[in-house]
Amino acid sequence: MWFSKSIEESLAAFEVSPAQGLSEAEAQARLQKYGPNALKGKKKKTILQLFIAQLQDWLIYVLLAAVVITALMGEYTDTIIILVVILLNAVLGVAQEVKAGNAIEALQKIASPKALVRREGTTKEIRSEDVVPGDILILDAGRFIAADLRLIESANLKIEESALTGESMPATKDADQTLPDPQTPIGDRHNSAYMSTLVTYGRGVGVVVATGMQTEVGKIASIIDTEEEVTTPLEARLEKLGKTLGKLAIGICALIFVVALLQGRDLVEMFLISVSLAVASIPEGLAAIVAIVLSIGVTSMSKRNAIVRRLPAVETLGSVNIICSDKTGTLTQNKMTVVRYFSLEGEREVNHGNQNEASEGAEKLAKAMVLCSDATYEHNEGTGDPTEIALLLLADDLGIDRQALQANSRRVGEFAFDSDRKLMSTLHEEDDKYTVYTKGAIDNLLKIATHVLESGQVVPLTEQHRQQFNQATERMSGQALRTLGAAYKPVDTVIEPEEMEKDLILLGMVGMIDPPRAEVKASVQKARMAGITTIMITGDHKNTAFAIARELNIADNMRQATTGQEIDELPEEEFNQRVQGYRVFARVSPEHKVRIIRGLKSHGNIVSMTGDGVNDAPSLSAADIGVAMGITGTDVAKGASDMILTDDNFATIVTAIEQGRNIYNNIRKSVLFLLTCNLGEVVAMFLTLLAGWQAPLIATQLLWINLLTDTLPAVALGMDPGDPDVMKERPRDPQESFFNGIAGWRAVAGGFLIGGITIFAFWFGYYEHGLSPFDDAVPVETVQNARTLAFMTLVACQLYYALAMRHPLKSIFQVGLFSNLFLLGAVALGLLLQLAVVLVPAMRDAFNLRMLDAQGWAAVLFLGLLPLLVSELGKVYLRARQAKNADPLAA
Ligand code: ATP
């Protein structure tokens, strides 16, 4: 039991030095020996299981019945064709499911937590799976613990262990304890930390004592269900739509059967036709198409730095009309440089690269900034918070020997930074004397300081001093500089963190630049064109925030900026009323973010919010789209988010919204295409039967059409490249249905057109032979000729029509005929297969077709293109109408 052993014993047992950590070679060897640090998940379904699952559908059962009936009747060709259709359908279904599943799994891998380890003397982030026993693991607030640890260092370390103990209050940890009682329950093992628990506060270091299934969680959860089935609202809606339309289709098929019965037609043939029509017209593939298009979409989003964690987010992205964004690192580069510093001795510029002459006061200021810091900067490389790295460089510029300073001054206590206090304090021992150093937001320091350093003397802080500091802050922040103050106080002994930030002696402050990211201004503009408002939410000073917001065209008037304090002063209702007028929220803490989101949402806005810290989880959950930072974000923020930005960049959010809109449009295109095609088939069959004609298509032909047009072209439509003009449209109303506006009518019109043309082609087959479908005794060849014409025309109509579906307004040339090669390929392949059915004699016989004559081919060619042509002409009219509406003079 490691908690009963001392730190030294534990380290010795794993043969590791805490300063060096394991060597890479040793870590590799241990990884071989102990295996990856992962909990074994539920076994994935095998391909065979997926395949069998595909067959468990009542439509398939009906088809299987058809197989038996045709076999009993000796119609073996039909039997084989139906069987092939069933198998091919299942294979395609499995392929889609596997592809969609793989894409989601790959994303989950990218988004899974990482561990911070010390190896070969340096600290680095590795995949949690690669952690091995003996690794030295560094813990910081917001991070999930990757393995079971015996702690070797702890500084105000608090860990939330509810995953193991059920206790939601974080447990306080202390590495220095040794617990002799081997029966100590997990909740009381203060010197240990466990896999899957969460650091909520402070810092710590531990040596890994167990990984993977050997850990405490591993022991409890021997089987963890990692496979979480997610159905997005869209999928659910479409499934429902599919069911409704399915019932309708079955109703019509049953009606056809009854009518046929009354008309005294061949029962078995009519049964087969009804069943096949049901199979062909029931849009059973809707949800599958959504899943596959979504998975293709999120994979392409991940290539552009946006990892979607929850699939429904893709749908919501298209409706976002407000982006709330952090400032530091997201809108700005997070490359801080101190350009100026201020103390009561005056304000000085920093000369980079040159040794600046530093007064005693300036030296003290820099000393506080260096000691009260977790960053490092060696050999031109920094680790840690860029704000702190900039402060280390300031010390270098002032000619201060940081190494000597840090070596002489041992840190014996600390009060970690948090974005509520906006302060950080450390306690140091130097020559048996103790000093607290505090740095942070100058306004907060002014509240807790009682004295100030003036010309080397500690004097009481007067109103005049405050004014001097406030003026300096106004000056610096007005020029977009980020300000940070420092203070100190001598104490007699080691004190508790809560005692540190009181009665401080103010030293001075610095101003640093953090230039905006180059691409952000254009992104803000692009978002505005797309009807999306950008709002800056930051912990930084109001003036600094506004100056940067103005530079980026987020705000143009100081009245559009407010602060956390001002929010606190407003009653909820009044704040909610005013909230839409602000573009900059400065000096806010994480709770304010939740209020801001609630206020914005109360006006019906769809809001995306960024976050990175431990306390950001509530606001990320409250937002419609919670966006976590991939680089600076904590595991907690990532866990609460819908999407992660791997580059922490604002521009990526805008790109993701654009992609979200395109993905939604693509799904919509696929679905409308499927419904149009299916309607066409139903119309052709139903009207002809009502008229007392022969069926224009027989069972096997219907099944073939289902296979050809419902699969590849529909998926290929979903892979359409984005519409470059999609960001000129307004955000989509989340309540809006797929059939909004004229989309529904278009599907109905398209369906009737395709159905009507098919009927015409069927009629033409009789006409060619000098007969009519109303005639009684018609030779078999004529019926076969007519069916071949109908069959070929219907498929051609559907395949060409897929091209028209790519944009509701733009012509196929404006969209770019060759911009979706998948679709062209799918159409070409469909046409080839369709030709093969007629041209290859064996296939022709199997499908009961006849070779067409020249006239017949010409008819197919012309009629097949007709729906595409009509649709394109319709678009010309719609474009003209739109241009007229957009042009006020023409109205
Ligand atoms: P954003 O919220 O847009 O990322 P931010 O980085 O300024 O902006 P916080 O990190 O919450 O937001 O910082 C808020 C304030 O806290 C800063 O303006 C600064 O005064 C202070 N601060 C930031 N980092 C530190 C630090 N490492 N130590 C002490 N104080 C800090």
Side-chain angles (χ1 to χ4, degrees):
M1 283 302 157
W2 297 105
F3 52 84
S4 306
K5 299 214 160 66
S6 72
I7 294 176
E8 291 71 25
E9 280 171 324
S10 308
L11 290 168
F14 288 97
E15 296 170 17
V16 61
S17 103
Q20 284 299 312
L22 297 174
S23 69
E24 284 300 336
E26 181 60 27
Q28 272 308 318
R30 291 190 190 187
L31 191 60
Q32 290 296 327
K33 184 170 166 196
Y34 295 102
N37 175 36
L39 300 178
K40 287 205 179 67
K42 200 167 80 176
K43 275 221 182 72
K44 281 215 302 196
K45 280 197 192 127
T46 61
I47 297 282
L48 186 68
Q49 283 168 323
L50 287 175
F51 187 77
I52 291 172
Q54 288 283 334
L55 297 180
Q56 285 161 353
D57 186 277
W58 65 267
L59 265 178
I60 302 285
Y61 298 152
V62 180
L63 275 184
L64 286 173
V67 167
V68 176
I69 294 175
T70 47
L72 285 178
M73 285 169 42
E75 300 276 354
Y76 298 121
T77 357
D78 285 3
T79 316
I80 293 171
I81 292 178
I82 300 176
L83 267 178
V84 168
V85 166
I86 295 176
L87 288 181
L88 273 180
N89 246 331
V91 168
L92 285 171
V94 171
Q96 290 184 347
E97 206 164 300
V98 168
K99 185 159 172 30
N102 286 350
I104 306 300
E105 208 172 287
L107 290 187
Q108 275 169 351
K109 274 214 178 105
I110 311 181
S112 67
K114 306 247 183 320
L116 205 58
V117 295
R118 193 174 296 146
R119 283 188 185 165
E120 300 190 342
T122 50
T123 304
K124 56 176 165 185
E125 210 165 48
I126 61 170
R127 293 190 321 156
S128 294
E129 275 155 63
D130 297 337
V131 170
V132 294
D135 256 329
I136 301 295
L137 215 66
I138 320 279
L139 308 180
D140 51 9
R143 204 181 273 280
F144 280 109
I145 297 171
D148 283 3
L149 309 174
R150 166 69 166 94
L151 293 169
I152 57 177
E153 265 177 52
S154 59
N156 308 314
L157 184 62
K158 293 203 173 103
I159 298 181
E160 199 252 289
E161 297 181 323
S162 61
L164 274 179
T165 60
E167 172 59 57
S168 59
M169 280 298 287
T172 305
K173 297 289 176 177
D174 181 3
D176 294 331
Q177 289 187 14
T178 309
L179 307 162
D181 179 3
Q183 301 300 330
T184 312
I186 292 186
D188 295 337
R189 294 181 200 163
H190 300 300
N191 60 11
S192 300
Y194 296 94
M195 184 180 200
S196 298
T197 61
L198 174 73
V199 183
T200 56
Y201 197 80
R203 279 184 320 113
V205 181
V207 57
V208 174
V209 295
T211 57
M213 295 308 284
Q214 305 308 314
T215 59
E216 293 295 333
V217 262
K219 284 182 207 155
I220 311 174
S222 50
I223 291 175
I224 294 211
D225 192 354
T226 47
E227 256 181 280
E228 200 184 322
E229 295 273 339
V230 268
T231 320
T232 70
L234 189 62
E235 280 176 287
R237 265 200 336 255
L238 283 177
E239 209 151 322
K240 212 168 127 200
L241 175 76
K243 284 212 176 103
T244 316
L245 292 178
K247 281 184 198 146
L248 207 69
I250 290 172
I252 294 177
C253 295
L255 197 65
I256 288 180
F257 189 64
V258 173
V259 171
L261 207 70
L262 293 177
Q263 290 173 341
R265 296 182 190 238
D266 183 293
L267 266 192
V268 178
E269 187 197 338
M270 283 321 293
F271 168 75
L272 288 180
I273 289 184
S274 307
V275 167
S276 309
L277 183 61
V279 173
S281 59
I282 292 175
E284 76 278 5
L286 286 186
I289 293 278
V290 177
I292 187 106
V293 176
L294 271 179
S295 77
I296 295 169
V298 293
T299 309
S300 94
M301 284 174 82
S302 75
K303 292 192 185 119
R304 297 175 75 177
N305 299 323
I307 312 281
V308 173
R309 288 192 64 250
R310 291 194 235 287
L311 276 181
V314 179
E315 199 185 326
T316 320
L317 270 175
S319 302
V320 166
N321 71 331
I322 292 186
I323 307 176
C324 295
S325 171
D326 279 355
K327 173 178 70 70
T328 311
T330 315
L331 295 169
T332 67
Q333 299 177 7
N334 208 4
K335 287 198 185 113
M336 311 272 178
T337 318
V338 178
V339 289
R340 228 177 282 173
Y341 61 90
F342 170 86
S343 67
L344 289 185
E345 290 165 4
E347 195 169 315
R348 296 268 160 79
E349 300 271 335
V350 181
N351 261 329
H352 298 292
N354 298 330
Q355 296 268 305
N356 298 261
E357 215 178 289
S359 64
E360 197 188 327
E363 262 182 35
K364 266 208 149 131
L365 176 66
K367 179 177 175 182
M369 299 287 193
V370 169
L371 290 177
C372 181
S373 168
D374 293 323
T376 64
Y377 191 87
E378 252 123 68
H379 315 299
N380 289 328
E381 220 175 294
T383 63
D385 181 354
T387 303
E388 295 192 342
I389 297 174
L391 296 171
L392 299 184
L393 292 175
L394 168 71
D396 292 353
D397 284 332
L398 295 181
I400 290 166
D401 183 353
R402 285 191 281 120
Q403 267 81 16
L405 196 62
Q406 279 156 337
N408 291 340
S409 189
R410 201 165 60 92
R411 191 195 279 195
V412 290
E414 67 182 68
F415 194 7
F417 173 77
D418 77 47
S419 39
D420 282 320
R421 286 170 21 252
K422 300 184 173 53
L423 296 172
M424 161 174 179
S425 299
T426 50
L427 175 61
H428 296 261
E429 185 235 69
E430 194 177 345
D431 306 330
D432 292 335
K433 282 195 234 134
Y434 295 94
T435 315
V436 173
Y437 291 101
T438 302
K439 74 177 192 322
I442 188 74
D443 15 354
N444 293 8
L445 278 178
L446 281 171
K447 283 185 201 145
I448 51 174
T450 49
H451 291 75
V452 62
L453 199 68
E454 187 174 30
S455 316
Q457 302 292 316
V458 176
V459 298
L461 186 70
T462 64
E463 199 41 47
Q464 198 199 348
H465 294 137
R466 279 178 203 281
Q467 265 182 19
Q468 279 177 282
F469 271 94
N470 282 332
Q471 280 162 5
T473 311
E474 293 282 313
R475 262 198 315 278
M476 289 189 192
S477 57
Q479 295 161 6
L481 295 185
R482 179 176 167 88
T483 56
L484 199 82
Y488 79 105
K489 73 173 170 187
V491 286
D492 300 330
T493 165
V494 175
I495 56 172
E496 288 301 311
E498 288 73 23
E499 298 299 310
M500 292 179 188
E501 289 166 5
K502 280 180 190 160
D503 310 325
L504 293 170
I505 305 161
L506 201 56
L507 285 164
M509 57 190 272
V510 301
M512 42 188 121
I513 47 165
D514 177 18
R517 284 175 181 264
E519 59 280 31
V520 165
K521 196 167 172 179
S523 289
V524 170
Q525 176 60 17
K526 190 172 180 181
R528 179 171 302 132
M529 297 278 295
I532 303 165
T533 308
T534 306
I535 292 180
M536 175 194 281
I537 300 190
T538 174
D540 219 336
H541 193 278
K542 184 172 167 180
N543 292 4
T544 315
F546 175 71
I548 293 192
R550 194 174 48 193
E551 216 173 310
L552 292 172
N553 276 342
I554 291 174
D556 50 23
N557 189 316
M558 195 61 182
R559 282 202 302 272
Q560 293 172 313
T562 185
T563 62
Q565 198 178 351
E566 285 167 20
I567 298 179
D568 287 336
E569 285 161 9
L570 287 179
E572 179 108 6
E573 239 165 65
E574 200 176 337
F575 171 71
N576 286 355
Q577 254 172 27
R578 288 209 217 161
V579 66
Q580 295 207 100
Y582 298 120
R583 294 290 175 271
V584 177
F585 294 89
R587 281 286 187 248
V588 294
S589 50
E591 301 90 82
H592 293 124
K593 284 189 172 183
V594 179
R595 276 193 72 182
I596 297 169
I597 292 179
R598 287 215 190 104
L600 290 171
K601 280 174 85 168
S602 71
H603 295 275
N605 295 301
I606 305 293
V607 187
S608 109
M609 168 70 83
T610 59
D612 49 12
V614 195
N615 305 338
D616 282 334
S619 58
L620 291 180
S621 311
D624 296 288
I625 297 280
V627 181
M629 298 299 147
I631 304 171
T632 58
T634 53
D635 292 342
V636 192
K638 289 179 189 166
S641 70
D642 301 291
M643 184 169 92
I644 300 176
L645 307 179
T646 53
D647 59 355
D648 289 12
N649 190 345
F650 173 82
T652 304
I653 307 177
V654 180
T655 315
I657 291 180
E658 180 174 354
Q659 287 184 293
R661 288 183 176 194
N662 279 322
I663 294 173
Y664 184 87
N665 287 347
N666 280 353
I667 292 177
R668 181 164 133 142
K669 286 186 246 177
S670 297
V671 169
L672 289 175
F673 171 69
L674 278 182
L675 295 185
T676 309
C677 290
N678 291 353
L679 182 63
E681 291 154 28
V682 174
V683 166
M685 295 299 288
F686 191 52
L687 293 186
T688 45
L689 284 159
L690 274 190
W693 296 7
Q694 290 280 348
L697 298 162
I698 57 170
T700 46
Q701 294 167 356
L702 281 166
L703 292 176
W704 169 263
I705 295 173
N706 185 42
L707 206 60
L708 213 62
T709 53
D710 272 15
T711 50
L712 283 185
V715 173
L717 257 180
M719 290 163 85
D720 236 2
D723 174 9
D725 293 329
V726 75
M727 292 300 264
K728 289 184 186 150
E729 291 159 20
R730 311 273 323 153
R732 177 175 47 81
D733 177 351
Q735 306 301 331
E736 179 190 301
S737 95
F738 269 176
F739 308 106
N740 200 40
I742 60 165
W745 290 114
R746 199 186 281 228
V748 172
F752 271 91
L753 187 64
I754 292 178
I757 292 172
T758 307
I759 295 175
F760 179 80
F762 187 59
W763 171 83
F764 186 72
Y766 284 81
Y767 176 77
E768 262 195 311
H769 290 193
L771 293 163
S772 144
F774 289 106
D775 293 345
D776 276 342
V778 178
V780 181
E781 299 85 67
T782 303
V783 180
Q784 276 189 348
N785 184 50
R787 282 192 176 143
T788 310
L789 270 163
F791 182 47
M792 298 298 284
T793 304
L794 179 60
V795 168
C797 282
Q798 295 190 346
L799 289 175
Y800 290 132
Y801 196 66
L803 300 175
M805 290 299 300
R806 291 185 59 196
H807 200 282
L809 285 179
K810 291 185 186 172
S811 77
I812 54 172
F813 303 106
Q814 284 170 327
V815 177
L817 196 52
F818 298 102
S819 58
N820 183 351
L821 292 179
F822 294 110
L823 184 60
L824 278 191
V827 170
L829 184 69
L831 289 175
L832 271 179
L833 287 170
Q834 183 65 13
L835 280 179
V837 177
V838 184
L839 296 181
V840 177
M843 299 268 276
R844 190 161 63 220
D845 292 344
F847 281 90
N848 270 312
L849 298 167
R850 265 181 82 80
M851 191 63 186
L852 293 176
D853 54 16
Q855 253 191 76
W857 284 115
V860 168
L861 199 67
F862 172 69
L863 294 174
L865 281 171
L866 212 51
L868 173 64
L869 284 177
V870 171
S871 160
E872 290 300 294
L873 285 176
K875 287 185 198 172
V876 173
Y877 168 72
L878 289 173
R879 283 200 298 272
R881 202 177 67 169
Q882 197 188 42
K884 200 169 146 193
N885 288 345
D887 182 0
L889 289 178

